[in-house]
Amino acid sequence: METGNRDTGVRAPVDKDVDFANYFCTYAFLYHQKEMLSDRVRMDAYFNAVFKNPHHFRNKVVLDVGTGSGILAIWCAQAGARRVYAVEATKMSEHARELIKANNVDDIIEVIEGSMEDVALPEKVDVIISEWMGYFLLRESMFDSVICARDRWLKPDGVMYPSHARMWIGPIRSGLSEQKLIDLESAMSDWHYFVDETERQYGVNMSVLTKPFHEENEKYYLKTSLWSNLHPNQVIGAPAIIKEIDCLTATIDEIREVIAKFSLRINLDRTRLSGFAGWFDVHFRGSDQNPAATQVELNTAPSEDNPTHWGQQMFLLHPPIRVNDGDDVSISFSMSRSKQNHRLMDVEFTYELHQPSGKRHPPITSKFYIE
Amino acid sequence: METGNRDTGVRAPVDKDVDFANYFCTYAFLYHQKEMLSDRVRMDAYFNAVFKNPHHFRNKVVLDVGTGSGILAIWCAQAGARRVYAVEATKMSEHARELIKANNVDDIIEVIEGSMEDVALPEKVDVIISEWMGYFLLRESMFDSVICARDRWLKPDGVMYPSHARMWIGPIRSGLSEQKLIDLESAMSDWHYFVDETERQYGVNMSVLTKPFHEENEKYYLKTSLWSNLHPNQVIGAPAIIKEIDCLTATIDEIREVIAKFSLRINLDRTRLSGFAGWFDVHFRGSDQNPAATQVELNTAPSEDNPTHWGQQMFLLHPPIRVNDGDDVSISFSMSRSKQNHRLMDVEFTYELHQPSGKRHPPITSKFYIE
């Protein structure tokens, strides 16, 4: 036995220990913490959000959900918080404790190792800060823990950092659409050679597995969304907001499934629609009762100068579609949690091209997996 | 949040569901099955073992532990078995059923989905066949399931396929030893830049994490064994057998830990000892009572013409040691299961160079992880 490490989608049903093994443990590595701490867009947004809004932090009680290395908790303490509870599920909590001590804020910050759902705080909090966003915002489903924290521990007039989040989808062009088709063809041609050889050398006819092999590889090459940092000129039309979340009021029911109908206007002539890209932004605006002095945005849209470690998720069409300036693509979109692993997502696009001439193309449905 | 996929060693303690999520699920992919089924050395050995020893199979009852796609079970049926029980823990069992039907042996083979430890067979068996070998033989700890199957289901005069296994260690040279040191230095120089920037830009001093970051990266770059298919001329001395296993009698206690003292004679002049490589062979000899008509060997030693998907595990020394023809390296070796995950291994080498001049160097101990 022994196999390689092609990443897989098949997982056991939700189970706390399995979830820990699959999900949390990567966050126990400083290598990964460094990757996130080196994302300037992410760091600048949280840094500015905290230090440009000192009235939200001075003498306040703060909860940091998933503190990791502890950086957000340290900033809150430096901004004048009276008390900060920094909750972390992984052993990274030990490094957070060291870092907090070395930065002389260990009298302010209490690190609590445990999952947010199990933790008890001695008091309610004025602010919940958390960097919970996954690929295309909701992958990882970590916002569930933030909602749980908010419902249990936030004071009625408390504020959320960030306060709002939005999901975006834009039409894109990319050579990867053709490339992935070629990769699939090449995998299938290898397979056919393998079937012939296995029959010839070892007397076993494998051809009954050709269809499932094709399905497995089609899922891998064509139906799995891809991480990318797109160049803005790969976006060939105006993107649309498909979901807005008010972090102060959102419920798990509101985010468990995302359904949207919208239209994308192509604004480039004689190009091809290779697929769609999904990204998000979040805002730090405080609350209506207690607004931010300075609003801050964290944006993960395609950008030449300010890429993020989140990049964008690409959902590629095979084959791409020829489009022109002025064409409209009307889309029914849905995203729900994978049955195998609640932190992964199943996505469906039904799209229909409308040309200014009035010509319509029949709707096409494509399914994708965010893994 | 969101992190990359650098493979990790930190896992939850042994838990059946976690183990399934981490270990078994890769075997549910036809892609991986194809990889193993395309390993000619592996396939030829099992094929010859079965078809050159028809007296072990004709009218016999066979158990295939971890049948995967079902190929070994099919061969046993084709070789004349009366009944074959093919046990598989993953959903690959469904493909095995299809393949068995398409090859017209579904009247002989019964596929049973479940883990070997939980399965009940209606009768005892004459032969247990299994391809249970992991990297450096024992990674994956799948032989445990074969032992369990043997103790419960093999008739007193039954035979094991394979019947014997051996672990080998040889002295090697490789440029990767220097490369990994450079990679570590480069990771640390990135880290120092990161620490400076984080202090300058964000007012947090990260230097308290320098030591744990170094430890984490030292483990990753220098202390984790590497998969490789070495060229035979990279082996710079006679390899040694460090463990012999009789599959008919071995107990879990015998394989839980491997301890060996041995000496390696360097047979190349003016070269460097970059480290040690570990590999294995298995033999199909039947039993004393019921020997094979034709003995077959499956060998995963460094080979130009017959590489396997197992390759060799390299344990690299940093820095390498200058050695000459006639030098002896005496070694105390131990390998035990990782406390975090019983399918992974902790390895320790204590080595001492003896030159023909009588000059001795002080012993050095290096620890490694097989992940």
Side-chain angles (χ1 to χ4, degrees):
Chain A
M1 294 268 198
E2 281 294 356
T3 65
N5 271 325
R6 179 149 135 182
D7 201 11
T8 65
V10 176
R11 309 232 164 131
V14 182
D15 168 311
K16 263 188 135 178
D17 294 332
V18 172
D19 191 39
F20 194 91
N22 280 332
Y23 172 64
F24 283 111
C25 69
T26 55
Y27 289 110
F29 283 78
L30 287 168
Y31 172 87
H32 293 306
Q33 294 293 332
K34 173 169 172 282
E35 215 169 89
M36 296 188 289
L37 292 164
S38 301
D39 179 334
R40 279 290 172 86
V41 173
R42 173 184 182 273
M43 291 287 276
D44 285 349
Y46 277 85
F47 184 81
N48 290 328
V50 171
F51 288 103
K52 292 188 173 173
N53 291 292
H55 68 297
H56 278 152
F57 295 92
R58 196 161 298 138
N59 298 316
K60 302 294 187 186
V61 181
V62 179
L63 166 59
D64 178 4
V65 181
T67 198
S69 64
I71 188 112
L72 299 184
I74 292 172
W75 286 341
C76 294
Q78 289 175 338
R82 174 168 67 77
R83 192 93 188 117
V84 182
Y85 300 102
V87 175
E88 172 59 33
T90 77
K91 283 284 164 206
M92 190 51 57
S93 59
E94 292 169 16
H95 294 314
R97 263 188 211 108
E98 293 175 76
L99 193 65
I100 284 160
K101 190 146 191 282
N103 285 272
N104 305 311
V105 281
D106 50 326
D107 53 333
I108 306 290
I109 304 171
E110 183 180 338
V111 176
I112 304 171
E113 190 183 322
S115 69
M116 194 62 238
E117 289 72 8
D118 302 332
V119 157
L121 305 183
E123 60 186 318
K124 295 241 171 181
V125 304
D126 300 294
V127 182
I128 290 179
I129 192 167
S130 178
E131 197 283 84
W132 52 266
M133 298 84 75
Y135 292 145
F136 199 20
L137 193 65
L138 295 178
R139 184 182 176 279
E140 300 195 50
S141 296
M142 185 185 154
F143 191 52
D144 293 14
S145 298
V146 176
I147 291 177
C148 166
R150 182 198 67 198
D151 292 346
R152 287 192 200 163
W153 303 110
L154 190 65
K155 290 180 187 170
D157 59 346
V159 295
M160 299 292 290
Y161 269 70
S163 59
H164 296 82
R166 297 188 298 189
M167 295 170 70
W168 293 81
I169 283 178
I172 58 161
R173 55 180 176 177
S174 163
L176 277 176
S177 170
E178 288 86 348
Q179 187 55 52
K180 292 289 162 176
L181 267 180
I182 292 168
D183 291 346
L184 174 60
E185 266 172 41
S186 153
M188 289 312 300
S189 127
D190 276 357
W191 171 265
H192 292 304
Y193 175 79
F194 161 75
V195 168
D196 290 347
E197 283 294 285
T198 307
E199 171 113 56
R200 196 172 66 77
Q201 297 272 347
Y202 303 113
V204 175
N205 184 336
M206 289 271 167
S207 56
V208 71
L209 297 182
T210 299
K211 190 162 165 272
F213 185 81
H214 185 269
E215 281 165 10
E216 181 186 304
N217 280 270
E218 194 181 38
K219 178 175 175 187
Y220 182 75
Y221 287 111
L222 307 189
K223 296 183 174 176
T224 304
S225 63
L226 296 171
W227 183 95
S228 172
N229 255 316
L230 291 163
H231 190 279
N233 74 15
Q234 292 182 266
V235 182
I236 59 168
I241 295 168
I242 61 154
K243 178 81 174 175
E244 301 201 50
I245 296 172
D246 180 339
C247 300
L248 202 54
T249 59
T251 62
I252 290 177
D253 276 345
E254 264 178 62
I255 59 164
R256 190 175 288 128
E257 203 172 13
V258 176
I259 292 178
K261 280 184 193 294
F262 55 97
S263 190
L264 299 172
R265 165 69 55 93
I266 303 300
N267 60 19
L268 197 67
D269 218 19
R270 291 199 215 175
T271 188
R272 61 197 195 289
L273 175 69
S274 304
F276 308 102
W279 63 86
F280 67 90
D281 56 27
V282 300
H283 290 84
F284 302 82
R285 294 189 206 133
S287 65
D288 290 344
Q289 290 172 292
N290 194 357
T294 308
Q295 296 194 2
V296 172
E297 179 186 79
L298 191 175
N299 196 328
T300 69
S303 159
E304 204 168 1
D305 299 325
N306 295 299
T308 71
H309 79 286
W310 285 286
Q312 298 86 39
Q313 286 288 305
M314 288 200 293
F315 305 93
L316 296 176
L317 309 179
H318 307 282
I321 302 169
R322 284 164 198 272
V323 291
N324 284 291
D325 191 9
D327 287 356
D328 275 310
V329 188
S330 70
I331 298 174
S332 285
F333 170 91
S334 76
M335 180 166 98
S336 54
R337 299 179 179 192
S338 153
K339 285 191 183 66
Q340 278 81 45
N341 180 333
H342 75 296
R343 297 194 181 276
L344 308 182
M345 302 286 159
D346 294 344
V347 168
E348 194 176 293
F349 284 86
T350 298
Y351 47 96
E352 201 178 334
L353 182 64
H354 307 276
Q355 292 170 332
S357 65
K359 192 175 170 194
R360 295 173 74 115
H361 296 254
I364 304 176
T365 296
S366 297
K367 292 183 188 226
F368 297 94
Y369 306 92
I370 306 182
E371 306 213 309
Chain B
M1 294 269 198
E2 281 294 354
T3 66
N5 272 325
R6 180 148 134 183
D7 200 12
T8 67
V10 176
R11 308 232 165 132
V14 182
D15 167 312
K16 261 189 139 176
D17 295 331
V18 172
D19 191 38
F20 194 92
N22 280 333
Y23 172 65
F24 283 111
C25 68
T26 55
Y27 290 109
F29 284 79
L30 286 169
Y31 171 87
H32 294 305
Q33 295 293 332
K34 172 170 172 281
E35 215 170 272
M36 295 188 290
L37 292 165
S38 301
D39 180 335
R40 280 288 172 88
V41 173
R42 173 185 183 271
M43 291 285 277
D44 285 348
Y46 277 86
F47 184 82
N48 289 329
V50 172
F51 288 102
K52 292 188 174 171
N53 291 292
H55 68 295
H56 278 151
F57 296 92
R58 198 163 296 141
N59 297 319
K60 301 293 184 186
V61 180
V62 180
L63 167 59
D64 178 5
V65 180
T67 197
S69 64
I71 188 111
L72 298 185
I74 293 172
W75 286 342
C76 294
Q78 290 174 340
R82 173 168 67 75
R83 191 93 187 117
V84 182
Y85 301 101
V87 175
E88 172 59 33
T90 78
K91 284 284 162 205
M92 191 51 58
S93 59
E94 291 169 17
H95 294 315
R97 263 187 212 108
E98 291 174 78
L99 193 66
I100 284 159
K101 189 149 193 281
N103 285 274
N104 305 312
V105 281
D106 50 326
D107 55 331
I108 306 288
I109 304 171
E110 182 180 341
V111 176
I112 304 171
E113 191 185 321
S115 69
M116 194 63 237
E117 288 74 5
D118 302 333
V119 157
L121 305 183
E123 61 187 317
K124 296 240 173 182
V125 305
D126 301 292
V127 182
I128 291 179
I129 192 167
S130 178
E131 197 283 81
W132 52 267
M133 297 85 75
Y135 293 145
F136 199 21
L137 193 66
L138 295 178
R139 183 182 178 277
E140 300 192 47
S141 294
M142 185 186 154
F143 191 52
D144 291 15
S145 298
V146 176
I147 291 177
C148 167
R150 180 200 67 199
D151 291 347
R152 287 193 199 160
W153 303 112
L154 190 65
K155 291 180 187 170
D157 58 347
V159 296
M160 300 293 289
Y161 269 71
S163 59
H164 296 81
R166 298 187 297 187
M167 295 169 70
W168 292 81
I169 284 178
I172 58 162
R173 55 180 176 176
S174 162
L176 278 175
S177 170
E178 288 87 347
Q179 186 55 52
K180 293 288 165 180
L181 267 181
I182 292 169
D183 292 346
L184 174 61
E185 267 172 40
S186 154
M188 289 313 298
S189 126
D190 276 357
W191 171 265
H192 292 303
Y193 175 80
F194 161 76
V195 168
D196 290 347
E197 283 294 286
T198 306
E199 171 112 57
R200 197 172 65 77
Q201 298 271 346
Y202 304 113
V204 175
N205 185 334
M206 290 270 167
S207 56
V208 71
L209 298 182
T210 298
K211 191 164 164 269
F213 184 81
H214 184 269
E215 282 166 8
E216 181 186 303
N217 280 268
E218 195 182 37
K219 178 176 175 186
Y220 182 75
Y221 287 111
L222 306 188
K223 296 183 175 176
T224 303
S225 63
L226 295 171
W227 183 94
S228 172
N229 255 317
L230 292 162
H231 189 280
N233 74 15
Q234 293 182 265
V235 181
I236 59 168
I241 294 168
I242 61 156
K243 178 83 176 173
E244 301 201 49
I245 296 171
D246 180 340
C247 301
L248 201 55
T249 58
T251 62
I252 290 178
D253 275 345
E254 263 178 62
I255 59 163
R256 192 176 284 129
E257 204 170 12
V258 176
I259 292 177
K261 281 183 192 294
F262 55 99
S263 190
L264 300 172
R265 166 70 54 97
I266 304 299
N267 60 19
L268 199 66
D269 217 20
R270 290 198 215 176
T271 189
R272 63 196 194 290
L273 175 69
S274 305
F276 307 103
W279 64 85
F280 67 88
D281 57 26
V282 301
H283 290 85
F284 302 82
R285 295 188 207 134
S287 65
D288 290 344
Q289 290 174 292
N290 194 357
T294 309
Q295 296 194 1
V296 172
E297 178 185 78
L298 191 174
N299 196 329
T300 70
S303 159
E304 205 168 1
D305 300 325
N306 296 301
T308 71
H309 78 286
W310 285 286
Q312 299 86 37
Q313 287 287 304
M314 288 199 296
F315 306 92
L316 296 175
L317 310 179
H318 309 282
I321 303 168
R322 283 164 199 273
V323 290
N324 284 291
D325 190 9
D327 286 356
D328 274 311
V329 187
S330 70
I331 298 174
S332 284
F333 169 91
S334 77
M335 179 166 100
S336 54
R337 299 178 181 194
S338 154
K339 284 189 184 67
Q340 278 80 45
N341 181 332
H342 74 294
R343 296 193 183 277
L344 308 181
M345 302 286 159
D346 295 343
V347 168
E348 195 176 293
F349 285 87
T350 298
Y351 48 95
E352 202 178 335
L353 182 64
H354 307 275
Q355 292 170 332
S357 65
K359 193 176 168 190
R360 293 171 77 114
H361 297 253
I364 304 176
T365 296
S366 298
K367 291 183 188 226
F368 298 93
Y369 307 92
I370 304 182
E371 305 213 309

